[in-house]
Amino acid sequence: MGGLDWTLGRGARPMVVIDEAAKRVQEPPPHGRIGMSTAWRITDGVPGRMMEYRRRTLHRGSAIGAHPIDHDEVYAVVSGEGEVVSDGVTAKLRPGMTAYLYTGAQVGIRQTGRAPLALIISYPLEKVPQP
């Protein structure tokens, strides 16, 4: 199933393959613009998507400032070290660890240590984004 079957209303949509290099930007992190980061908005532009899937590397001293979330969200650490906060509770993170953050929480994450903090960030979308 998939491919042409999807156009007939059967099966799944065809897959989308994304070149992450084309999605790479240097910018201050969101929610406070604390320091600098490299961001890959990997799923931006994927037709009909129902989730966000992103990479972000927080450079030394950078942070995604505390902000409320209206969906569950995941921060998975690829490399580096950091501290995540959710409703005032702080936890240290290192490679191989993931923070699962719940709807309604006030959350943020900051880079600690010598190396940049590389993350995978994912969360659901309420509705399909319009182009």
Side-chain angles (χ1 to χ4, degrees):
M1 286 262 165
L4 293 176
D5 288 334
W6 179 78
T7 63
L8 301 173
R10 298 188 306 260
R13 291 176 186 242
M15 74 172 156
V16 175
V17 177
I18 300 152
D19 178 2
E20 291 183 21
K23 301 289 187 164
R24 184 177 187 223
V25 296
Q26 300 290 319
E27 64 183 16
H31 310 293
R33 303 177 63 83
I34 303 162
M36 193 53 128
S37 71
T38 305
W40 296 260
R41 288 186 186 87
I42 297 168
T43 53
D44 280 9
V46 171
R49 76 186 192 279
M50 292 301 297
M51 62 178 285
E52 290 291 0
Y53 183 83
R54 299 178 172 188
R55 285 177 47 199
R56 185 171 297 269
T57 297
L58 297 173
H59 301 186
R60 285 187 72 175
S62 296
I64 296 173
H67 61 284
I69 55 174
D70 60 2
H71 49 256
D72 287 8
E73 194 161 306
V74 174
Y75 295 163
V77 178
V78 177
S79 63
E81 296 179 350
E83 290 182 346
V84 63
V85 64
S86 180
D87 287 338
V89 176
T90 301
K92 293 181 186 245
L93 296 175
R94 62 183 183 280
M97 297 177 85
T98 298
Y100 191 99
L101 307 164
Y102 290 98
T103 301
Q106 182 88 4
V107 305
I109 190 166
R110 70 182 185 98
Q111 182 275 343
T112 60
R114 296 177 187 258
L117 175 60
L119 304 166
I120 299 292
I121 300 170
S122 188
Y123 53 90
L125 297 174
E126 242 180 77
K127 59 184 178 183
V128 176
Q130 300 301 313

